[in-house]
Amino acid sequence: MIILLAVGAAAAVGAVAHYVLDQYVQYRHPGLFPRGTWLISITGSYVLGIVMGLGARHGLPEQAVHIDGVGFCGAYTTFSTFSYELVHLREKGQVRRSLLYGTSSLVVGPSAAAAGLSIGSF
């Protein structure tokens, strides 16, 4: 039960971090490209990679991996927002932007996760 509450608390922090960072990026860099969600996807992938590396290689307890990975990273990143923004760009006729956003997210995100895993496993 304590782990469940901890995952929920970490998810609350992740969701608030997502909202705050997205709003900040949108305010500082307005435009049609969803920079906030892109940055959140990449940094979340990187953090998750670190957490997984620490769990696999350095004995970070499984409960901590769940709290940080499922709780924080799960709420911080969101595939549904990525999908919505990708479709929204396409519907607005922003074909190049949608291709850039989708492709860069799908290339850089896993690369960031791999880099984080390498750092966490070091």
Side-chain angles (χ1 to χ4, degrees):
M1 183 63 154
I2 291 175
I3 299 300
L4 180 65
L5 293 173
V7 169
V13 172
V16 170
H18 175 119
Y19 178 78
V20 169
L21 181 58
D22 188 50
Q23 292 299 304
Y24 175 77
V25 171
Q26 285 184 35
Y27 174 75
R28 298 284 293 167
H29 304 284
L32 298 176
F33 188 83
R35 290 181 181 115
T37 301
W38 189 89
L39 180 63
I40 289 162
S41 294
I42 303 314
T43 57
S45 295
Y46 181 70
V47 169
L48 184 57
I50 291 173
V51 168
M52 298 304 292
L54 290 173
R57 190 82 178 186
H58 295 288
L60 183 66
E62 187 176 344
Q63 296 87 346
V65 171
H66 288 291
I67 292 166
D68 296 334
V70 175
F72 178 82
C73 291
Y76 177 68
T77 62
T78 172
F79 189 72
S80 59
T81 301
F82 162 73
S83 300
Y84 167 78
E85 290 177 341
L86 186 64
V87 170
H88 186 68
L89 286 171
R90 183 87 169 140
E91 286 178 346
K92 289 176 65 176
Q94 302 291 324
V95 176
R96 282 190 173 155
R97 280 195 175 102
S98 70
L99 289 172
L100 175 63
Y101 177 54
T103 302
S104 66
S105 295
L106 295 174
V107 170
V108 179
S111 297
L117 184 60
S118 293
I119 298 237
S121 297
F122 183 63

